């Protein structure tokens, strides 16, 4: 397959990267960021939302650091696997795709992963044959193919593995762009729309992830549902963690069930109030099942994915008690 | 007279150098990697001719030409060095000077008429070299001569999304892609058909039109009816089972996408490089489409990066490349994207299969009733044959009281289905084997014992008249039972763990060639040439698609001539130099080519022995041919080296040349369709699979497989094991995760290797390959196929194991987690259980009646075991036909013994109302009948 042409920019500092993006914005030229390229370039080859410019972060030194409280955006997933980061992060990173892809894929890329949908992740010919879709409408104003007759929201599914884990560890993300740096909890980073995906503004990129000091004391579990134990994106994922003995610290997050990964604060409050036993875990599992709304755009049908979230929640809790 | 010379053993110098005139015994022949001659490997020479190899299955006609060189030894494939060093040249590795890049314009519509194509803008684009459309290729082609329904590019209408519309060649890929966007096409959209059931109904615009042979106005491409045996046996059955299956279409998933390079050489001959399983049929089709005689075309088969049946049709893109190259005078290279591979497809048919079976109170199978509706997609491909195979390949290894089959293949607006490993047999086999298990469950007997008590013996005939020769079914079943510790596990494992059995039966080479030929043209021909250097060049058309046919041919020549395998050079790539071979399909290559190679090698061997006779003065009957040396049987010191004998044989005539061929013997019945499924030999297999089912999530993990396959004789045990393990992987894909998903708009939704889920290494169970050798009388050194048959049993073995694990029967393939989950939930709710983990495990519930039946089955299988052994060793040569188990006399035609013994290939009018889903095709009439009735 042929890569469509684009101009590749290679900044060597974060400041230069911001400068390039600011200039491109000024000129009105569209662009994408690229780190490992395992997500973006595959989409480019399918000519999905290609841009004339691509800014690569790979030549910037120092933004691939890995420590237990701070992980740079360019940290390769393979380097997280055997490192001293929280074991949950190492586990989740090790479950992403295949070892070959993990050598190239990065943490930043995984968190900013494009949402996926089988009406969208297709070749140009294929998408032309269905008259495009809302997410990549090629200027036609096409409707969503998953849920027809609504073209306000894209329901493509976020299928990253590491975001829910970082959420339950209380991670924050540092975003940087021409207008400076800002920090926010990861759970506020995502924005419910398969196209917008997150709060990144044009010209901004995710610089690093920081974790609170007590995160290393958390014990947790990540349950990933997939058809094959390699290559596959999660069809559903549940991350749970707590500071052992402190039920007020329980956090639960899910992924691959909606356009964004989500922390379930409301559902958890009940278990915190009532205490942790088999019954309350079951009730929590049921509540999460009710709150997630998967749609039919991944390999397994939504009803099934929704039902088994309960099992994943149960298993995650049984792992950490 | 004797010009021989006596060599003196043990006359080496202490420093290891040779003494002039006193050569070290044994002397070198002509080199090879090891210049020193080896002793005969008596472990690989049969007992009957003085070696040590035991022959439990009796002696074989090729025994006396065994030399202990390579047959039966595990040997890396001869082309493996090229592959592991990256030097093998696949389709896209061919780079000719001045090449241009071809791209194909594909249909964006499922079904549409082409009103007009305007190519003017394409032609005006700088960098475009040639453009072609359907107007450049009016001749139709197809792999089967009876169903030539394809064109290089759509002539009148497109039949599925991705169908070829036009093609363009340009200076580079980017220009070619740009050019594709400049075609201006006016379409008239037609109503597409996706559901095969709809294909049975009349349609305003049938996808193809067959004139007076067209079935009403339906999309039925082929219908089959077969009824054999005594149908009264199925009334009031003692036990019965009924399964209605939905099986998704699957793709071969080979590594190398299709690629082709076409070049018209300065003499105006076409040189076409393509990874093809059947270069000969491509050769024929090219000749038709291009209007050029076959001798002006040279088809060069590159290395094939996996075929599995998916590269065994002549393909339209091959024609496109040739047409573009002819127009432009420049070589054209076309390489597919993975998506295009799925659009050309030819994978296994999506199928709706219904199997009813019955057994009598003695546990005999009184009837199989199979109905198969298969979804052929847009073109016929091999579908004519597939329609038969879905029924007839289920008629063994069991003895049946009656057999009833209705099948139909319909055209739909999807990529064409075709032949895939286990062609036509896989889906029905799964349904049948699961049905047998269900019956065993109902009768409360062990399913292995039920099978063992109903097997056809060696040297017998199936109900539809297939000639069974060697048959290792019983041994295969016994060995997997023992290997898997079946009796300790079956119906005894805890919930979520299960074990299951499945058997297989497959043709070893199609008995009739695709292009029916009244002139007795051989199926396979091999030429051998030996020049003065002693190296042996073998010319064969056998297409090595990774299965190791080149190695097999090299091996048999090496064995017959007793030469190290590195002295055998197989040339099989070009149609200019290789004799006609029908190609790699129906598991025919090793069987037929090795037989042809043996014949050719025997000719050379005879010439060498005659030359040795001349030199030594001893008759060839008393000479032994060993590693590069021929010597006197009673005094090995008297002999000549291979080179000496060779040079003597070459006196006054130069290189030794020979030709050998193989053609399968006449056989089979005379009814319509009798040829489908005929083969000179059949392979048998039995697998036991063990699974872990995650009952809450519905995930299945296959943990262990004991896989016994009767390949007659393992010429190369390493290759056979590779085929068995590879088949397990491929079959597991179909049973667990692979499917071609067509969404609500009829688009193929997973035309890529991420979403089309081929199992990874993590999903692979431990496979214990068990080779059963039944020594087939017709096979080369007793060998039968091992390439396709081993795939069949893994599907039912896994489905049966899932039942053993959780007590639920599934009739949908693949068994994706959501399907399993749905079944579990249904049962959980029915039993009013709180948790899925409380489901009951299936257990034997023996009553006095079932214990008695179990005992009688075991007794019968013990008796049959003795019977089979005597027949295998040809101690018992009495005729045996399907029906003897039911008390019929094999010496009298069955129809004379039983009133109502049927041999029908068309339904009776009163039957029409009762036929199954596919059988409904028989409610329609052909156009010619409709006309004559008017």
């Amino acid at each position: 397959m042929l890569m469509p042409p684009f101009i590749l920019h290679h900044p060597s500092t974060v400041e230069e990267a911001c400068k390039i993006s600011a200039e491109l914005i000024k000129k009105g030229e569209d662009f994408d960021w690229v780190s490992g390229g395992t997500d973006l370039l595959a989409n480019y080859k399918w000519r999905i939302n290609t841009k004339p410019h691509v800014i690569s972060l790979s030549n910037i030194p120092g933004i691939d650091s890995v420590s237990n409280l701070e992980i740079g955006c360019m940290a390769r997933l393979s380097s997280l696997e055997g490192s001293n980061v929280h074991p949950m992060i190492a586990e989740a990173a090790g479950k992403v795709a295949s070892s070959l892809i993990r050598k190239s894929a990065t943490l930043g890329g995984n968190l900013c992963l494009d949402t996926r949908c089988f009406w969208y992740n297709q070749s140009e010919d294929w998408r032309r044959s269905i008259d495009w879709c809302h997410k990549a409408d090629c200027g036609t104003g096409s409707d969503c193919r998953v849920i027809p007759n609504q073209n306000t929201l894209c329901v493509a599914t976020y299928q990253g593995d590491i975001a829910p884990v970082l959420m339950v560890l209380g991670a924050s993300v540092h975003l940087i762009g021409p207008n400076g740096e800002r920090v926010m909890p990861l759970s506020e980073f995502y924005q419910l729309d398969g196209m917008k995906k997150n709060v990144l503004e044009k010209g901004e990129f995710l610089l690093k992830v920081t974790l609170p000091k007590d995160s290393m004391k958390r014990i947790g579990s990540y349950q990933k549902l997939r058809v094959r134990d390699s290559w596959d994106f999660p069809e559903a994922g549940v991350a749970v963690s707590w500071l052992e003995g402190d039920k007020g610290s329980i956090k639960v997050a899910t992924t691959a069930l909606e356009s964004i990964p989500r922390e379930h604060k409301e559902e958890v409050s009940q278990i915190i109030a009532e205490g942790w036993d088999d019954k309350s875990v079951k009730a929590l599992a049921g509540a999460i099942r009710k709150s997630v709304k998967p749609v039919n755009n991944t390999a397994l049908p939504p009803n099934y994915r929704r039902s088994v979230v309960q099992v994943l929640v149960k298993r995650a809790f049984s792992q950490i008690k | 007279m004797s010009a021989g010379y006596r060599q003196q053993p043990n006359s080496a110098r202490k420093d290891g150098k040779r003494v002039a005139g006193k050569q070290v015994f044994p002397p070198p022949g002509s080199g090879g990697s090891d210049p020193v001659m080896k002793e005969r490997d008596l472990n690989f020479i049969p007992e009957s001719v003085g070696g040590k190899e035991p022959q439990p299955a009796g002696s074989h006609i090729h025994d006396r030409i065994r030399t202990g060189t390579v047959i039966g030894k595990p040997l890396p494939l001869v082309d493996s060095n090229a592959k592991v060093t990256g030097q093998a040249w696949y389709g896209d590795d061919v780079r000719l000077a001045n090449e241009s890049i071809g791209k194909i314009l594909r249909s964006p519509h499922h079904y549409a008429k082409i009103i007009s194509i305007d190519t003017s803008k394409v032609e005006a684009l700088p960098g475009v070299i040639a453009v072609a459309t359907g107007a450049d290729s009016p001749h139709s082609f197809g792999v089967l001569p009876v169903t030539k329904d394809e064109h290089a590019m759509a002539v009148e209408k497109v039949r599925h999304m991705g169908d070829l519309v036009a093609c363009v060649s340009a200076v580079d890929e980017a220009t070619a892609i740009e050019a594709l966007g400049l075609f201006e096409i006016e379409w008239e959209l037609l109503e597409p058909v996706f559901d095969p059931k709809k294909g049975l109904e009349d349609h305003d615009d049938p996808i193809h039109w067959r004139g007076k042979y067209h079935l009403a106005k339906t999309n039925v491409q082929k219908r089959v009816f077969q009824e054999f045996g005594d149908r009264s046996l199925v009334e009031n059955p003692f036990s019965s089972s009924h399964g209605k299956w939905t099986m998704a279409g699957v793709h071969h998933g080979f590594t190398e996408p299709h690629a082709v390079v076409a070049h018209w050489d300065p003499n105006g001959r076409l040189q076409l490089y393509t990874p093809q399983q059947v270069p000969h049929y491509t050769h024929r089709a090219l000749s038709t489409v291009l209007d050029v005689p076959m001798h002006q075309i040279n088809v060069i088969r590159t290395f094939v990066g996996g075929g599995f049946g998916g590269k065994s049709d002549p393909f339209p893109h091959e024609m496109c490349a040739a047409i573009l190259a002819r127009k432009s005078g420049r070589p054209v290279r076309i390489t597919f994207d993975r998506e295009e591979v799925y659009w050309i497809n030819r994978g296994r048919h999506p199928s709706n299969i219904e199997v009813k079976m019955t057994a009598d109170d003695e546990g005999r199978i009184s009837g199989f009733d199979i109905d198969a509706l298969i979804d052929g997609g847009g073109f016929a491909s091999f579908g004519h044959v597939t329609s038969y195979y879905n029924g007839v390949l289920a008629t063994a290894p069991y003895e049946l009281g009656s057999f009833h089959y209705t099948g139909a293949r319909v055209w739909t607006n999807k990529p064409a289905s075709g032949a895939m490993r286990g062609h036509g047999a896989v889906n029905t086999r799964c349904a049948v084997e699961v049905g047998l298990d269900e019956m065993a469950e109902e009768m409360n007997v062990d399913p292995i014992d039920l099978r063992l008590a109903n097997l056809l013996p060696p040297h017998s005939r199936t109900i539809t008249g297939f000639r069974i020769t060697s048959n290792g079914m019983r041994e295969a079943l016994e060995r997997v039972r023992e290997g898997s510790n079946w009796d300790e596990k079956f119906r005894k494992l805890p919930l979520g763990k299960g074990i299951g059995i499945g058997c297989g039966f497959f043709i070893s080479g199609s008995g009739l060639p695709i292009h029916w030929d009244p002139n007795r043209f051989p199926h396979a021909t091999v030429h051998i040439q030996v020049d003065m250097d002693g190296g042996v060049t073998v010319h064969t058309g056998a297409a090595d698609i990774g299965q190791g046919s080149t190695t097999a041919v090299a091996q048999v020549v090496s064995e017959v001539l007793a030469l190290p395998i590195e002295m055998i050079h197989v040339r099989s790539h070009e149609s200019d130099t290789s004799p006609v071979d029908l190609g790699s399909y129906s598991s025919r290559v090793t069987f037929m080519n090795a037989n042809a190679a043996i014949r050719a090698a025997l000719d050379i061997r005879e010439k060498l022995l005659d030359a040795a006779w001349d030199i030594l003065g001893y008759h060839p009957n008393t000479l032994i041919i060993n590693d590069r040396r021929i010597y006197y049987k009673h005094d090995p010191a008297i002999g000549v080296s291979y080179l000496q004998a060779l040079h003597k044989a070459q006196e006054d005539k130069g290189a030794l040349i020979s030709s050998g061929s193989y053609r399968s013997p006449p056989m089979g019945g005379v009814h319509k369709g009798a040829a489908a499924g005929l083969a000179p030999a059949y392979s048998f297999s039995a697998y036991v699979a063990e699974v872990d089912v995650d009952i809450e999530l519905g995930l299945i993990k296959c943990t262990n497989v004991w896989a016994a396959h009767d390949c007659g004789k393992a010429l190369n045990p390493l290759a056979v094991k590779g085929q068995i393990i590879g088949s397990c992987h491929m079959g597991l894909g179909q049973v667990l995760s692979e499917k071609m998903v067509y969404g609500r708009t009829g688009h193929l939704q997973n035309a890529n290797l991420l979403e089309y889920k081929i199992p990874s290494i993590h999903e692979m169970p431990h496979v214990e390959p068990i080779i059963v050798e039944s020594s087939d009388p017709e096979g080369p050194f007793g060998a039968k196929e091992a390439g396709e048959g081993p795939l069949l049993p893994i599907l039912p073995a896994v489905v049966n194991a899932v039942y053993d694990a959780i007590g639920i029967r599934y009739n949908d393939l693949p068994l994706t987690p959501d399907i399993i989950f749905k079944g579990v939930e249904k049962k959980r709710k029915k039993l009013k259980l709180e948790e899925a983990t409380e489901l009951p495990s299936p257990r034997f519930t023996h009553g006095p009646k079932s214990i008695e039946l179990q005992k009688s089955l075991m007794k019968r299988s013990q008796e049959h075991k003795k019977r089979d052994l005597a027949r295998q060793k040809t101690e018992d040569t009495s005729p045996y036909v399907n029906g003897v188990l039911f008390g019929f006399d094999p010496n009298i035609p069955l129809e004379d013994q039983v009133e109502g013994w049927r041999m029908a290939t068309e339904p009776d009018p009163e039957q029409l109302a009762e036929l199954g889903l596919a059988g409904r095709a028989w409610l329609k009439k052909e156009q010619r009948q409709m006309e004559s009735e008017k």
Side-chain angles (χ1 to χ4, degrees), chain B residues 441 495 695 802-810 819-843:
Chain B
E441 166 91 4
L495 181 74
I695 195 158
V802 168
Y803 179 81
D804 191 45
I806 61 176
I808 300 170
R809 288 255 172 237
Y810 289 96
I819 302 262
I820 299 291
F821 181 79
K822 219 193 246 171
V824 169
E825 282 300 283
K826 200 172 146 196
K827 182 151 186 189
R828 184 183 68 78
K829 281 177 189 156
K830 196 175 150 200
L831 298 179
K832 300 195 174 79
L833 300 172
E834 189 76 4
E835 300 286 338
T837 45
E838 295 164 13
L839 284 180
S841 288
R843 295 283 180 254

Side-chain angles (χ1 to χ4, degrees), chain A residues 1-2 116 118-119 122-123 126 129-130 145 228-232 282 299-301 304 307 314-315, chain B residues 108 161 174 337 339 694 696-697 744-745 747-749 754 757-758 760 762-763 817-818 821 834-835:
Chain A
M1 285 173 108
L2 204 61
R116 304 179 55 80
F118 57 53
W119 298 98
Q122 299 284 0
S123 72
W126 196 100
S129 174
I130 58 157
R145 302 292 159 192
R228 300 173 292 186
D229 280 345
S230 185
W231 303 315
D232 284 347
K282 204 172 167 186
L300 296 174
Y304 166 76
S307 299
K314 238 168 49 186
R315 287 190 183 174
Chain B
M161 188 196 147
D337 291 340
E339 190 177 41
D694 182 330
E696 287 180 307
L697 291 179
R744 63 163 197 275
T745 53
H747 288 76
L748 178 60
Q749 271 168 348
L754 177 61
K757 299 195 184 294
I758 297 172
S760 75
H762 299 285
E763 278 69 57
D818 53 302
F821 181 79
E834 189 76 4
E835 300 286 338

Side-chain angles (χ1 to χ4, degrees), chain B residues 671-898:
Chain B
H671 58 273
K672 187 178 181 214
L678 273 190
Y682 295 90
S683 75
F684 299 85
S685 39
Y687 287 13
V688 165
E690 214 174 338
V691 299
D692 276 358
V693 181
D694 182 330
I695 195 158
E696 287 180 307
L697 291 179
L699 291 166
I700 301 170
K701 167 91 187 141
C702 184
T703 52
N704 281 296
V705 178
W706 291 267
H709 179 73
D710 165 25
C711 64
K713 164 84 196 163
L715 301 179
N716 183 352
L718 193 64
V720 174
K721 285 178 182 174
Q723 287 292 330
I724 292 176
I725 296 169
S727 293
C728 277
H729 174 257
M730 200 165 209
L732 273 175
Q734 191 183 354
V735 68
L736 294 180
S737 55
E738 290 180 36
K739 59 173 166 181
M740 293 176 75
V741 183
Y742 295 94
R744 63 163 197 275
T745 53
H747 288 76
L748 178 60
Q749 271 168 348
N750 56 346
N752 59 70
L753 291 179
L754 177 61
E755 295 303 333
Y756 180 83
K757 299 195 184 294
I758 297 172
S760 75
I761 186 86
H762 299 285
E763 278 69 57
M764 261 315 264
H766 170 74
V767 181
E768 184 79 46
I770 301 168
I771 296 173
V772 175
E773 299 189 324
S774 60
S775 189
D776 190 76
E778 183 125 353
F781 297 104
K784 299 188 285 191
E785 71 93 24
E788 299 190 71
L791 186 139
L792 277 70
I794 183 73
L795 285 83
V798 168
V799 179
N800 284 332
V802 168
Y803 179 81
D804 191 45
I806 61 176
I808 300 170
R809 288 255 172 237
Y810 289 96
N811 290 341
D812 288 296
L813 289 188
L815 296 176
T816 47
D818 53 302
I819 302 262
I820 299 291
F821 181 79
K822 219 193 246 171
V824 169
E825 282 300 283
K826 200 172 146 196
K827 182 151 186 189
R828 184 183 68 78
K829 281 177 189 156
K830 196 175 150 200
L831 298 179
K832 300 195 174 79
L833 300 172
E834 189 76 4
E835 300 286 338
T837 45
E838 295 164 13
L839 284 180
S841 288
R843 295 283 180 254
F844 275 125
T845 47
H846 283 304
K849 215 171 165 187
S850 71
I851 290 175
E852 200 177 309
L853 180 60
Q854 170 78 27
K855 273 187 189 156
S856 77
L857 289 177
M858 287 164 77
K859 190 168 160 241
R860 190 159 89 218
S861 58
Q862 281 308 317
E863 285 162 9
H864 284 186
K865 189 175 179 179
K866 281 183 208 140
R867 169 198 78 181
D868 290 5
L869 200 65
R871 296 185 70 83
Q872 178 77 55
K873 291 190 164 177
T874 57
E875 287 158 9
D876 175 4
T877 54
S878 60
Y880 194 103
V881 295
N882 180 85
V884 173
L885 183 63
F886 293 85
F888 300 133
D889 184 343
N891 296 302
I892 306 168
L894 290 166
E895 50 270 34
D896 296 346
Q897 298 181 55
V898 200

